[in-house]
Amino acid sequence: MDLQIAVLLAQDGLTSGAIYALMALALVLVFAVTRVIFVPQGEFLAFGALTLAGLQTQKLPGTVWLLLGLGAVAFALDCVDAVRRRRPRRLLPAAGWQLALPLLIAGTAAWLAPMRTPLLVQIALTFLLVVPLGPLLYRVAYQPIAEAPVLVLLIVSVALHLALSGLGLLFFGAEGSRTPAFSEASAQLGFLQITGQALWVYACSLALVGALYLFFERTLRGKALRATAVNRIGARLSGISTTAAGKACFLVAALIGVFSGVLIGPLTTIYYDTGFLVGLKGFVGAIMGGLVGYPAAALGALLVGLLESFASFWASAYKEVIVFTLIIPVLLVLSLRAHHDDEDEE
Amino acid sequence: MKARALQALLVAVVGLAPLVAPEYWITLGSYIGLYTLVTLGICVLTGIAGQVSFGQAAFVGLGAYATAWLSSVYGVSPWIGLLAGLAVTGAFALVLGLITTRLSGHFLPLGTIAWGLSLYYLFGNLEFLGGFTGLSGIPPLAFLGHELKRSVEHYALIWSFVLVALVLIQFLLGSRVGRAIRTLRGAAVMAESFGVNTRALRVQVFVFAALLAALSGWLYAHMQRFVNPTPFGLHVGIEYLFMAVLGGVGHVWGALLGALLITALKQVLQSALPQLTQTSGQFEIILFGVLLVVVLQRARGGVWAWISQRFAHWAPEPEMPVGAALPARPHPIADGPLLQVRAARKAFGGLIAVNDVSFEVRPGEILGLIGPNGAGKSTTFNLITGLLDLSAGEVRYLGQLISGMRPEDIARRGIARTFQHVKLLPNLSTLDNVAIGAHLRETPGFLRCLLHWERAEERRLLAEAARQIERVGLGQDMFRRAGGLPLGKQRIVEIARALAADPRLLLLDEPAAGLRYLEKQELAKLLSALRAEGMSILLVEHDMEFVMGLVERLVVLDFGVKLAEGPPAAIRRDPKVLEAYLGGVA
């Protein structure tokens, strides 16, 4: 390996590492606020990229039906709640965001999909179609058991991943897709070619790390959100709505996911199940950061990207083996640093 | 006895089914047996010990590939293949278990997801294991020269293993080690105070579940006589967990039921959606995913919980345990102090919860530790029992330094405690809860409990627990669910559990809280009787009247500092104490 190859590998590793970092950030965000280990985070990435690819071929993507279906289920659950608690007035806003909004989005998508629209419109439509799935999933899958132990929430996450990956195959088929780059710019730096797309990826990751760090460490609202994870009853007593917090952070997580999908779509071919692996690599990174800090998680994810890139040069068949086995020494280090818990958790 | 009849019926159905069932059904039955072996492991690991693994399929793969490689490439006997598979799997699980056992609960499942994926890719990429095409030409199993090739023979072999595993796991769960395993789910701190080495036990349980999976893999390889990576991937690992959760993850019958239901459901889906054969796989996982979410939201106990509620009256009448008495510790008669706390200090960041506190407990006395809320009483308790580390100072017991020791080792020396926030296993009977206290008084380990080779010891343990329950006057509640008792009685159960440890020093954390007047008098009588037998007691209490009439001496704490020490009459007049309690001399 000479320097040129090493630099190219590093560049490649940094680009995928930046995407993993975005995943890691979303995972830490969701975990810090809701205690949910959100295994299906990567599905947002795949759904985002493939929805955009579908719109490019002027077809109405299957995510429309998921949006409408989830909205209807969420509304039905809210109806049951409203009847039980005798608070019918709450149904009005619920009907708005769970029924009317998805219908509006679906209608717009159905109207625009067959037309030849500019890329930006298609991207906007992708966001509108996929991002609301975040809070809807929270409402349907997690909100009814928000008080459950972490492990139960984790099993629910894995079940959701199972269902979503099946739906992904149903909606998008087994073939992969690529989307066009939204920045054609490119610059030559010696032997190194830097594309505008890659710069976008770096800039977005950095901006998000900074924003999340500042929000959770420096603002009262951010600290309040963290408090909900530590002590849900306490948070509610001090006026923090844990449900609203959960929905908000799932919204942000979905936003990050779709964003990553749109960013990575032009760089690599995305299949319906790509998201899972990308998400898990983000996980390995997040765990390196101890599942707590945003800068630490992002750094860990970058390291995963670099390691993967170099591993694919030396032993490409074992790339996944190396990346996922990496978690074992990481856990070992965490374990040696761990303090003895004197509180029980179930 | 009706429950026994149910088990016999099951054996009969399993045994007679192949006589009437068509070939295809018998093969399905074999698969259900293979799945059940794995889900039985999950039952102990997840349902009882509260640890989650998505990687059981990878363990199955290790068991299958070990024997497949050895027997097809080197012509080694499948029995050696079994040993090799168990050894490799055991080693893997041991390392993973040791690494994750100190971390909080969600790191183990995350680890299993990652390494489940990594092993899958490893199987698929290793040339000598045939890559993604797999290994074929695996010889069938042979017994005394007879080769098992017919599906009914596989069925018989697999189900023999399943039935043995079912029986052994029930032995295990009903034993000393089984009770300890149950504490791992949410009561590990309590268990450590009674000498359970929870870390070692966690690893043991994880390895045990992995070995069951490896056994299933071994049987699979020699039945199928071909292996490839697909059935050992992460999604299959998730499916195993799903089976256990759907069936009812806390119970062995749930494991069997889950394997049966999922296999049946798959069959139904495949025949009911013939027009969608090409895409049935994805409908299956969508449905499974959604179903799993619904089960976890609506019926976390699974199908078995629903069934067992309806047949609860079928459970056999509990029998009064009878057994020889356990040897008891002599109470020291020497003059020296039993427990010495010297300049103990505990700082949580900037907050000093216990500030250079010194006192001693003499043999055969009741020492009261009192103080307003937040005075540091419970922290002092946790320092003595090793749940918290001292920031400075030392604790000695019979002259020996015990600060810095682990709670298990301190418990071993004869110190037992109760908890201010009652820590009982709510779903176990009073008897089983109290028996946890006697954990250290017998020694049978995991293997002996699994084989039920500890009948005499188990009888002695339960009889001892029963005696302590009678001693504290809860005889009529012996077989009731501990979680169903009123709080006052639960506190008394805590005392019985501490007594079952045969302590020399009893630490009671607010035992009278929540008791009615008469119950308090009974408790005072019990404590006096214990003192008469030579027991030393350190008592944290709020109820002044209760304390004053009972103790020889009092230590008063306020804001982590020792305010006063002496006999009750002197404490009552101490101006500093009056100020702390009443806000100034009246």
CSV table of all heavy atoms in Angstrom, one decimal, chain B residues 246-248 257 298-312:
chain,number,residue,atom,x,y,z
B,246,LEU,N,-43.4,-15.2,22.3
B,246,LEU,CA,-44.8,-15.5,21.9
B,246,LEU,C,-45.4,-16.6,22.8
B,246,LEU,O,-46.5,-16.5,23.4
B,246,LEU,CB,-44.9,-15.9,20.5
B,246,LEU,CG,-46.3,-16.3,20.0
B,246,LEU,CD1,-47.2,-15.0,19.9
B,246,LEU,CD2,-46.3,-17.0,18.6
B,247,GLY,N,-44.5,-17.6,23.0
B,247,GLY,CA,-45.0,-18.8,23.9
B,247,GLY,C,-45.1,-18.4,25.3
B,247,GLY,O,-46.0,-18.9,26.0
B,248,GLY,N,-44.3,-17.5,25.8
B,248,GLY,CA,-44.3,-17.1,27.2
B,248,GLY,C,-42.9,-17.3,27.7
B,248,GLY,O,-42.5,-18.4,28.1
B,257,LEU,N,-44.3,-24.2,23.5
B,257,LEU,CA,-45.5,-23.7,22.8
B,257,LEU,C,-45.1,-22.7,21.7
B,257,LEU,O,-45.7,-22.7,20.6
B,257,LEU,CB,-46.3,-23.0,23.9
B,257,LEU,CG,-47.8,-22.9,23.6
B,257,LEU,CD1,-48.4,-24.2,23.5
B,257,LEU,CD2,-48.4,-22.2,24.8
B,298,ARG,N,-49.4,-6.0,24.5
B,298,ARG,CA,-50.7,-6.5,25.2
B,298,ARG,C,-50.5,-7.7,26.1
B,298,ARG,O,-51.4,-7.8,27.0
B,298,ARG,CB,-51.7,-6.9,24.1
B,298,ARG,CG,-51.9,-5.8,23.0
B,298,ARG,CD,-53.1,-4.9,23.4
B,298,ARG,NE,-52.8,-3.6,22.8
B,298,ARG,CZ,-53.6,-2.6,23.2
B,298,ARG,NH1,-54.5,-2.7,24.0
B,298,ARG,NH2,-53.3,-1.4,22.6
B,299,ALA,N,-49.6,-8.6,25.8
B,299,ALA,CA,-49.6,-9.8,26.6
B,299,ALA,C,-48.1,-10.2,26.8
B,299,ALA,O,-47.7,-11.1,26.1
B,299,ALA,CB,-50.4,-10.9,25.9
B,300,ARG,N,-47.4,-9.5,27.7
B,300,ARG,CA,-46.0,-9.7,27.7
B,300,ARG,C,-45.7,-11.1,28.3
B,300,ARG,O,-44.6,-11.6,28.1
B,300,ARG,CB,-45.3,-8.7,28.6
B,300,ARG,CG,-44.0,-8.2,28.0
B,300,ARG,CD,-43.4,-7.1,28.8
B,300,ARG,NE,-44.1,-5.8,28.4
B,300,ARG,CZ,-44.0,-4.7,29.2
B,300,ARG,NH1,-43.3,-4.7,30.3
B,300,ARG,NH2,-44.6,-3.6,28.8
B,301,GLY,N,-46.6,-11.8,28.9
B,301,GLY,CA,-46.4,-13.1,29.4
B,301,GLY,C,-46.5,-14.2,28.4
B,301,GLY,O,-46.3,-15.4,28.6
B,302,GLY,N,-47.0,-13.8,27.2
B,302,GLY,CA,-47.1,-14.8,26.1
B,302,GLY,C,-48.3,-15.7,26.3
B,302,GLY,O,-49.2,-15.5,27.2
B,303,VAL,N,-48.4,-16.6,25.4
B,303,VAL,CA,-49.6,-17.5,25.3
B,303,VAL,C,-49.6,-18.4,26.6
B,303,VAL,O,-50.7,-18.6,27.2
B,303,VAL,CB,-49.6,-18.4,24.1
B,303,VAL,CG1,-50.8,-19.4,24.1
B,303,VAL,CG2,-49.6,-17.6,22.8
B,304,TRP,N,-48.5,-18.8,27.1
B,304,TRP,CA,-48.5,-19.7,28.2
B,304,TRP,C,-49.1,-19.0,29.5
B,304,TRP,O,-49.8,-19.6,30.2
B,304,TRP,CB,-47.1,-20.2,28.6
B,304,TRP,CG,-47.2,-21.1,29.8
B,304,TRP,CD1,-46.8,-20.8,31.0
B,304,TRP,CD2,-47.7,-22.5,29.8
B,304,TRP,NE1,-47.1,-21.9,31.9
B,304,TRP,CE2,-47.6,-22.9,31.1
B,304,TRP,CE3,-48.2,-23.3,28.8
B,304,TRP,CZ2,-48.0,-24.2,31.5
B,304,TRP,CZ3,-48.6,-24.6,29.2
B,304,TRP,CH2,-48.5,-25.0,30.5
B,305,ALA,N,-48.8,-17.7,29.7
B,305,ALA,CA,-49.3,-17.0,30.8
B,305,ALA,C,-50.8,-17.1,30.8
B,305,ALA,O,-51.5,-17.3,31.8
B,305,ALA,CB,-48.8,-15.6,30.8
B,306,TRP,N,-51.4,-16.9,29.6
B,306,TRP,CA,-52.8,-16.9,29.4
B,306,TRP,C,-53.4,-18.3,29.8
B,306,TRP,O,-54.4,-18.4,30.5
B,306,TRP,CB,-53.1,-16.6,28.0
B,306,TRP,CG,-54.6,-16.5,27.7
B,306,TRP,CD1,-55.4,-15.4,27.9
B,306,TRP,CD2,-55.4,-17.5,27.1
B,306,TRP,NE1,-56.6,-15.6,27.5
B,306,TRP,CE2,-56.7,-16.9,27.0
B,306,TRP,CE3,-55.2,-18.8,26.6
B,306,TRP,CZ2,-57.8,-17.6,26.5
B,306,TRP,CZ3,-56.3,-19.5,26.1
B,306,TRP,CH2,-57.5,-18.9,26.0
B,307,ILE,N,-52.7,-19.4,29.3
B,307,ILE,CA,-53.2,-20.7,29.6
B,307,ILE,C,-53.1,-21.0,31.1
B,307,ILE,O,-54.0,-21.5,31.7
B,307,ILE,CB,-52.4,-21.7,28.8
B,307,ILE,CG1,-52.7,-21.6,27.3
B,307,ILE,CG2,-52.7,-23.2,29.2
B,307,ILE,CD1,-51.9,-22.5,26.4
B,308,SER,N,-51.9,-20.7,31.6
B,308,SER,CA,-51.6,-21.2,33.0
B,308,SER,C,-52.5,-20.4,34.0
B,308,SER,O,-52.9,-21.0,35.1
B,308,SER,CB,-50.2,-20.9,33.4
B,308,SER,OG,-49.8,-19.6,33.3
B,309,GLN,N,-53.0,-19.2,33.7
B,309,GLN,CA,-54.0,-18.6,34.5
B,309,GLN,C,-55.3,-19.4,34.6
B,309,GLN,O,-55.9,-19.5,35.7
B,309,GLN,CB,-54.3,-17.2,34.0
B,309,GLN,CG,-53.4,-16.1,34.6
B,309,GLN,CD,-53.6,-14.8,33.8
B,309,GLN,OE1,-54.6,-14.6,33.1
B,309,GLN,NE2,-52.6,-13.9,34.0
B,310,ARG,N,-55.6,-19.9,33.5
B,310,ARG,CA,-56.9,-20.7,33.5
B,310,ARG,C,-56.8,-22.0,34.2
B,310,ARG,O,-57.8,-22.6,34.6
B,310,ARG,CB,-57.3,-20.9,32.0
B,310,ARG,CG,-58.3,-19.8,31.6
B,310,ARG,CD,-58.2,-19.4,30.2
B,310,ARG,NE,-58.8,-18.1,30.0
B,310,ARG,CZ,-58.2,-17.0,30.3
B,310,ARG,NH1,-57.0,-17.0,30.8
B,310,ARG,NH2,-58.8,-15.8,30.1
B,311,PHE,N,-55.5,-22.5,34.3
B,311,PHE,CA,-55.4,-23.8,34.9
B,311,PHE,C,-54.6,-23.8,36.2
B,311,PHE,O,-54.0,-24.7,36.6
B,311,PHE,CB,-54.7,-24.8,33.9
B,311,PHE,CG,-55.5,-25.1,32.7
B,311,PHE,CD1,-55.4,-24.4,31.5
B,311,PHE,CD2,-56.5,-26.1,32.8
B,311,PHE,CE1,-56.2,-24.6,30.4
B,311,PHE,CE2,-57.3,-26.3,31.6
B,311,PHE,CZ,-57.1,-25.6,30.5
B,312,ALA,N,-54.7,-22.6,36.8
B,312,ALA,CA,-53.9,-22.4,38.0
B,312,ALA,C,-54.3,-23.4,39.1
B,312,ALA,O,-53.4,-23.8,39.9
B,312,ALA,CB,-54.1,-20.9,38.5
